[in-house]
Amino acid sequence: MTDAPPDPLLALRPWEAPEVTSWGRLPMNAVDRRSGAVLLDGDWRFQLLPSPDAPLGEVWSSSYVPGAWTVQGTDDLPQYLNIRMPFAEFPPDVPAANPTGVYERTVDVPAEWTGRRIVLQVGAAESVLLVHVDGRPVGISKDSHLAAEFDLTGLVRPGERATVRLTVVKWSDASHIEDQDQWWHGGITRSVLLYAVDPLHLADVTVRARRDGDLLVECRVRDAAGALPEGWYVSGELDGHLLTQDAAFDRANADDERVSGFLGEARLRTAVPDVRTWNAETPELYGLTVRLHRADGTVADTSRHRVGFRDVEIDGRDLLVNGERVFIRGVNRHDFHPLTGRTVTYEDMRADLVLLKRFGFNAIRTAHYPNDPALYDLADELGFYVVDEADLESHDHAHEIADDPRYLGAFVDRVARMVLRDKNHPSVIVWSLGNESDYGANHDAAAGWVRRHDPTRPVQYEGAAKRGWADPDLASDIACPMYAPLEECLAHALSGTQTKPLIQCEYSHAMGNSNGTLADHWAAIEATPGLQGGFIWEFWDHGILQRVNDGRPAGRGGAGLYGNGVAAPGHRWAYGGDFGERDHDGAFIADGVVFPDRTPKPVMFEHREIAAPVRIDSFRHEGVVLSNHQHFRGLDWLSGEWELSLADGGTLTAPAELPALRPGETAAVPLPFALPEDGGEAWLTLRVTTAGDEPWAPRGTVVCLPQVRLRAAPPPRHSRVPDGPVEVDEDGLLVHPLLTSAPRLSLWRAPTDNDELGGMAARWGEWGLDAPLRTVVSVRRAPGRVAVVSDHLCEGGTVRHEQVLTAVEGGLLVDECAELPEALHDVARVGTVFETVAGLNLLEWFGQGPWESYPDRAAGAPVGHHCLAVDELFTPYLRPQESGGRHGVRRFTLSAPDATGLAVRLDRPRQVSVTRHRAADLAAVAHHDELVPRAGCVVHIDAAHRGLGTASCGPDTFASYLVAAGVHRWSWTLRVL
């Protein structure tokens, strides 16, 4: 008895062979094959082996496809690392301990597929895929984020059952170029399907649709038997209009072997009169059907496409869409779901894009790999500009791999396959060569392939652009830096040396309570030729829903997602380190503009206002000036309502008739209200909503809330004539029936992620700002007034604080002054903190809101009268931190259901927060399930509060938003309701 011959797929050992990018895999193409396919999603028999060389066991479990095994109950759990590889081996080596998933199921091959070509498509597998059918080897594929197709025609029989085995090896030489900032998973993460076509079939279809209405369709034809039969031809139909054969092309190639032999080519053309062009604002699409005919006229193959007529070009330092310089209001997006890891459904992706559209985004960078194919269909339909990025990131070993000839084939293969798959999508306007992989000959080779194959779109790559924003000889047509300081971008745009559009591929890092100065950036972008926008990092907080009792992923059968940013009871949002991994990068994975359940973070409202299509430019006595800030669309799709907010009154409303403005136009409209003569502060808001149903929003959805101040507040008039007693304890601290903790000086906040990673938190800790030692210097009592002077001893010096308490009619006036020494040049806040009795559960305020806002992130929070339950004020960032602040508050009340409570009026607009947590409570825990809310309210009134910035990965806030040393004064009144 002889040994069985070795499996040729295993013999190749593709997980450690960088020269093997595939074996037996079919070429990538853009032909639509979804119609009539047999979907193989569902439960597959499954074994997880310790390595690809390990023998199969006797016992099979099950695993759901598509899905990662790391979130389906195995012992191989998710691991998060940003830059470092999860193993020590250098490229192209991998560890011997290499989790390997073996998936198996039987497939009933339809009997009606007799005589047809049968193809298996695996949507995505991480990292190496080996395919067997009935024990026979079929092929190999690498590239974790693109589909792999294999011809099974000679291996299966229509009308019979076949056994398909898919073996997925987690680590490979390819892992070194898939080192993205995301969770490491393993498994089959996109759908698996089986389809059949005629032996004579469309091998590829390329659509070129110009904004002038010219349409060119290039078709490639193959026959499974080899030589093409005589007499075949291709026809095309665009929304009922027949396309014509490109006669010049046919004549020129009549004697070409490719036409009548192995590969056939044909061209179809038409010119569409009065064409409706595609852009992100009006994404007009036409239906194209391409048919391949046999000589007798019968149809052998069909491919359907949605066509958008548009042009993309670079003119000097401007990126143009249909001849217009467009602002790129973008976000970076991973394929992510908190229950299934990397697997997302069509409904998931549509919900992602609908949400982004509602908050003013018009662009997506597919960070850092080609996304699920359905995303591009949705981007075509809903209107997004897409930077399509290849699955190339070698962050940990970038310099070595960029010029390593062993990886040359992988670089070109991955970029080329992305282009071949996605080239017909009008939403794709830029090709990206990958991310954070240094820059070398491998990039130049890939760029050369793209420019030859698709000259209709620019190419970008940050690794090349950072060598010189204006260098014309590098493989990037766009200057696309990461987190470049605004002053550097402005200096470049004003230098006279700029040669390319400057569009940052990442520019504002959304980790925790972040995205400070976003409005400042956009004010500069819109005012500076040469600056054209960028992409926020990123869309999601990648928190995986984790069961608290056993620390494992909740998986597909996990608890429901509530939609308020908070994990379900008994669960938490897990980040790096929560699955027991020793090497991890913590909460750096939680850096999105939405929570893991897609709840918008407050920055989304900031972005919505920054991207407002209609704005109030100025106020004149006779009216206000409105402007249309879109590129292609008028205002007829919008409705408006005026709101007049009076500081000492209520809110008045009136319908608004928006003027007929073309893009870029302005018009003056009369004021809808006569201002009352009482002289109080007054703000006019235009509530802009959708006038009808949009594909991404029903009628009445808020689009933006532009606002203008009509009248400033008069100077505050506080009576400082004593009127009653002031009760304090022996330390000069106020005793009040509604307060459980007296008003004290506050200099510290629970560090945000930006504070921690930017170094500020460590500095504040060294200074001792979290618990300065209070020493009472003097307590001066007079009838109706108490003045307390205290020194707060810090490592950075002594802060002198004076608090004067004066009983005034109906309440208490508090005048405060704090003097910070020069050494304390950048503290978190200077202000007052106190705590209330339980039962005060409703906050009403006049100021900015209703959502959270901070000094450098307040453009999206209009001034007005707002009301929220105290428990709704807190923002549950994945790692607890400073949260729940409201900027520009003039006055507020905290009340119980019986309307009793307290009222506070401030000397001028201040930063205020009301939550159930002390700063120390937030700083002491890692997750929200560890927090115990206090029965009363913790209230902060800040004379000054530090901006948020984005220093966790990017520039800190501007100097104008820092809390400087010196004297800070503030006053407020406290009254009992």
Side-chain angles (χ1 to χ4, degrees):
M1 183 175 180
T2 60
D3 293 334
D7 186 322
L9 301 189
L10 292 175
L12 285 173
R13 302 187 66 81
W15 50 91
E16 56 188 16
E19 69 277 8
V20 178
T21 59
S22 68
W23 183 87
R25 187 180 68 192
L26 296 173
M28 182 63 79
N29 62 80
V31 179
D32 177 20
R33 296 300 186 198
R34 285 167 287 192
S35 178
V38 175
L39 193 64
L40 302 183
D41 292 356
D43 289 316
W44 288 52
R45 296 186 294 277
F46 179 73
Q47 290 190 35
L48 184 61
L49 307 179
S51 72
D53 298 317
L56 277 171
E58 297 290 333
V59 180
W60 292 81
S61 61
S62 68
S63 184
Y64 192 87
V65 173
W69 68 62
T70 42
V71 291
Q72 294 195 52
T74 71
D75 291 330
D76 185 29
L77 297 174
Q79 181 178 4
Y80 168 61
L81 286 166
N82 173 21
I83 298 172
R84 295 171 294 156
M85 290 295 293
F87 48 82
E89 284 76 4
F90 282 78
D93 296 336
V94 295
N98 192 351
T100 300
V102 181
Y103 298 80
E104 191 174 279
R105 65 163 289 171
T106 55
V107 178
D108 292 317
V109 183
E112 59 270 23
W113 287 3
T114 299
R116 295 173 68 80
R117 177 173 176 263
I118 299 172
V119 177
L120 174 72
Q121 182 188 94
V122 181
E126 301 181 31
S127 152
V128 174
L129 171 69
L130 293 81
V131 180
H132 294 79
V133 172
D134 290 334
R136 289 175 288 179
V138 177
I140 294 169
S141 178
K142 297 180 185 178
D143 192 344
S144 294
H145 299 93
L146 282 175
E149 293 191 341
F150 303 91
D151 192 335
L152 306 188
T153 307
L155 300 173
V156 299
R157 293 185 178 182
E160 296 185 8
R161 178 169 290 183
T163 299
V164 176
R165 176 177 291 179
L166 305 178
T167 302
V168 180
V169 184
K170 184 175 183 179
W171 306 128
S172 74
D173 58 89
S175 300
H176 291 285
I177 55 173
E178 294 180 352
D179 183 20
Q180 290 102 353
D181 177 12
Q182 59 179 340
W183 292 99
W184 286 99
H185 286 292
I188 300 170
T189 54
R190 293 180 189 157
S191 290
V192 179
L193 55 88
L194 198 67
Y195 70 84
V197 296
D198 196 271
L200 178 67
H201 60 276
L202 291 165
D204 199 9
V205 174
T206 301
V207 179
R208 303 275 169 82
R210 303 292 303 274
R211 78 173 191 264
D212 61 3
D214 181 66
L215 175 65
L216 171 64
V217 181
E218 298 178 316
C219 305
R220 292 194 165 199
V221 177
R222 291 183 186 271
D223 193 288
L228 286 165
E230 295 291 336
W232 65 266
Y233 64 96
V234 174
S235 69
E237 183 180 328
L238 185 74
D239 282 353
H241 176 74
L242 294 178
L243 280 65
T244 59
Q245 291 277 349
D246 188 335
F249 176 81
D250 292 342
R251 284 196 302 272
N253 292 276
D255 297 324
D256 195 320
E257 181 184 354
R258 293 175 299 171
V259 176
S260 58
F262 175 63
L263 174 66
E265 296 181 348
R267 283 183 177 178
L268 303 172
R269 282 190 181 277
T270 193
V272 179
D274 302 319
V275 67
R276 305 184 309 275
T277 56
W278 185 97
N279 59 73
E281 294 169 14
T282 56
E284 297 282 357
L285 294 172
Y286 291 74
L288 171 68
T289 302
V290 178
R291 296 183 179 93
L292 171 63
H293 300 265
R294 305 179 186 92
D296 62 2
T298 57
V299 176
D301 200 3
T302 301
S303 184
R304 292 176 175 84
H305 305 264
R306 292 190 300 179
V307 176
F309 288 83
R310 62 103 184 93
D311 289 344
V312 180
E313 59 186 318
I314 291 178
D315 183 6
R317 56 182 186 171
D318 295 328
L319 174 68
L320 307 180
V321 176
N322 296 339
E324 295 290 330
R325 179 178 184 267
V326 297
F327 286 122
I328 301 300
R329 305 182 186 277
V331 70
N332 288 274
R333 180 195 173 276
H334 279 284
D335 281 342
F336 168 78
H337 192 278
L339 298 180
T340 57
R342 198 98 67 223
T343 299
V344 289
T345 66
Y346 175 87
E347 291 74 21
D348 292 330
M349 288 178 278
R350 186 177 184 89
D352 291 354
L353 299 198
V354 162
L355 185 68
L356 287 168
K357 197 78 173 178
R358 292 182 184 181
F359 284 91
F361 290 91
N362 69 356
I364 293 167
R365 177 176 174 232
T366 66
H368 297 294
Y369 43 80
N371 284 186
D372 188 286
L375 181 98
Y376 302 82
D377 293 334
L378 288 163
D380 294 341
E381 172 194 334
L382 297 174
F384 283 91
Y385 303 121
V386 174
V387 172
D388 204 4
E389 190 150 276
D391 188 10
L392 283 168
E393 180 167 344
S394 56
H395 208 156
D396 199 15
H397 300 286
H399 183 67
E400 306 97 290
I401 290 177
D403 285 304
D404 189 336
R406 294 174 297 177
Y407 280 93
L408 173 62
F411 272 61
V412 176
D413 183 65
R414 287 164 179 251
V415 173
R417 295 181 76 235
M418 171 187 70
V419 173
L420 288 168
R421 187 194 74 168
D422 298 335
K423 60 189 173 184
N424 293 337
H425 289 281
S427 57
V428 176
I429 65 167
V430 177
W431 301 118
S432 170
L433 303 180
N435 183 67
E436 292 178 318
S437 301
D438 206 327
Y439 178 45
N442 293 341
H443 295 97
D444 285 334
W449 189 95
V450 176
R451 287 177 169 143
R452 176 66 177 86
H453 184 81
D454 179 26
T456 70
R457 295 175 174 93
V459 174
Q460 77 170 45
Y461 176 57
E462 180 267 342
K466 71 182 181 183
R467 299 288 183 93
W469 290 358
D471 191 332
D473 297 324
L474 301 176
S476 188
D477 301 318
I478 296 171
C480 49
M482 286 183 179
Y483 309 107
L486 180 59
E487 58 270 22
E488 291 185 15
C489 296
L490 287 169
H492 179 66
L494 300 173
S495 67
T497 63
Q498 184 179 6
T499 61
K500 305 175 181 180
L502 199 161
I503 303 171
Q504 293 207 59
C505 64
E506 298 173 24
Y507 77 102
S508 182
H509 195 251
M511 185 178 181
N513 194 356
S514 187
N515 301 107
T517 73
L518 193 61
D520 304 80
H521 272 75
W522 272 98
I525 290 168
E526 293 189 359
T528 309
L531 304 186
Q532 211 167 333
F535 296 83
I536 292 174
W537 185 265
E538 63 169 313
F539 179 57
W540 287 99
D541 271 358
H542 291 217
I544 294 177
L545 192 66
Q546 180 187 46
R547 300 191 298 261
V548 174
N549 60 345
D550 62 7
R552 300 184 72 84
R556 295 180 68 252
L561 304 181
Y562 283 11
N564 61 1
V566 179
H571 297 74
R572 63 168 52 151
W573 300 126
Y575 50 76
D578 286 338
F579 293 112
E581 65 269 41
R582 287 177 297 177
D583 288 334
H584 63 85
D585 285 319
F588 205 71
I589 194 70
D591 48 12
V593 293
V594 301
F595 289 102
D597 62 356
R598 208 180 285 107
T599 298
K601 289 185 182 177
V603 66
M604 291 287 273
F605 298 95
E606 183 87 347
H607 188 274
R608 187 178 72 179
E609 215 54 48
I610 291 168
V614 56
R615 307 184 194 177
I616 303 175
D617 286 346
S618 60
F619 162 58
R620 304 169 184 167
H621 290 295
E622 67 276 10
V624 294
V625 176
L626 298 184
S627 60
N628 179 358
H629 280 251
Q630 300 171 103
H631 299 294
F632 300 99
R633 205 172 187 185
L635 302 184
D636 54 315
W637 65 285
L638 299 170
S639 292
E641 182 183 58
W642 294 109
E643 295 180 356
L644 178 64
S645 298
L646 303 170
D648 297 316
T651 300
L652 305 176
T653 62
E657 183 175 346
L658 299 180
L661 296 177
R662 289 177 296 189
E665 290 185 339
T666 63
V669 298
L671 285 178
F673 305 101
L675 276 177
E677 297 181 359
D678 61 5
E681 188 176 6
W683 290 80
L684 181 67
T685 304
L686 179 60
R687 177 175 291 271
V688 181
T689 60
T690 52
D693 291 338
E694 295 286 325
W696 47 271
R699 179 177 180 269
T701 300
V702 174
V703 174
C704 57
L705 299 167
Q707 186 177 66
V708 66
R709 188 176 67 182
L710 301 183
R711 187 164 56 207
R717 295 190 300 273
H718 292 307
S719 171
R720 284 175 167 77
V721 177
D723 184 19
V726 176
E727 185 177 355
V728 297
D729 63 15
E730 63 274 14
D731 292 323
L733 296 173
L734 176 68
V735 176
H736 190 281
L738 294 182
L739 304 187
T740 59
S741 178
R744 301 170 183 259
L745 178 67
S746 175
L747 301 171
W748 184 73
R749 68 187 182 196
T752 66
D753 291 315
N754 291 331
D755 297 337
E756 290 281 4
L757 296 177
M760 290 74 76
R763 187 166 65 245
W764 299 336
E766 292 169 0
W767 288 344
L769 298 183
D770 53 341
L773 179 63
R774 180 176 182 266
T775 300
V776 178
V777 175
S778 66
V779 179
R780 303 189 306 274
R781 291 177 170 84
R785 177 176 289 145
V786 175
V788 181
V789 177
S790 55
D791 283 344
H792 296 254
L793 307 180
C794 311
E795 288 298 321
T798 298
V799 178
R800 173 147 292 189
H801 177 227
E802 182 176 9
Q803 185 181 74
V804 179
L805 307 171
T806 304
V808 295
E809 183 179 358
L812 183 75
L813 171 65
V814 184
D815 290 299
E816 305 199 57
C817 175
E819 184 174 359
L820 276 63
E822 287 299 319
L824 301 182
H825 55 85
D826 178 11
V827 302
R829 63 179 5 135
V830 176
T832 305
V833 60
F834 60 83
E835 296 178 28
T836 74
V837 297
L840 306 184
N841 299 327
L842 184 70
L843 180 73
E844 298 178 75
W845 76 98
F846 183 74
Q848 293 189 251
W851 30 84
E852 178 190 89
S853 55
Y854 283 83
D856 61 349
R857 203 191 67 215
V863 176
H865 297 276
H866 306 289
C867 179
L868 282 174
V870 169
D871 292 335
E872 296 177 18
L873 296 166
F874 185 68
T875 306
Y877 298 107
L878 263 63
R879 189 189 68 80
Q881 56 196 272
E882 164 63 35
S883 169
R886 265 63 180 176
H887 189 60
V889 175
R890 282 77 164 161
R891 66 168 187 269
F892 64 90
T893 63
L894 266 171
S895 61
D898 62 0
T900 61
L902 58 84
V904 172
R905 183 178 288 270
L906 308 172
D907 57 339
R908 62 184 181 86
R910 300 288 188 183
Q911 183 78 19
V912 170
S913 71
V914 180
T915 72
R916 302 290 190 195
H917 310 288
R918 295 175 181 170
D921 298 339
L922 298 172
V925 300
H927 295 88
H928 283 272
D929 62 290
E930 303 168 43
L931 282 172
V932 179
R934 296 181 179 272
C937 300
V938 180
V939 180
H940 279 274
I941 300 170
D942 293 329
H945 193 106
R946 192 187 195 278
L948 301 170
T950 64
S952 57
C953 186
D956 194 6
T957 192
F958 298 158
S960 57
Y961 297 114
L962 299 180
V963 179
V967 177
H968 297 265
R969 301 180 187 275
W970 67 106
S971 65
W972 49 285
T973 58
L974 173 66
R975 290 183 169 84
V976 176
L977 292 177

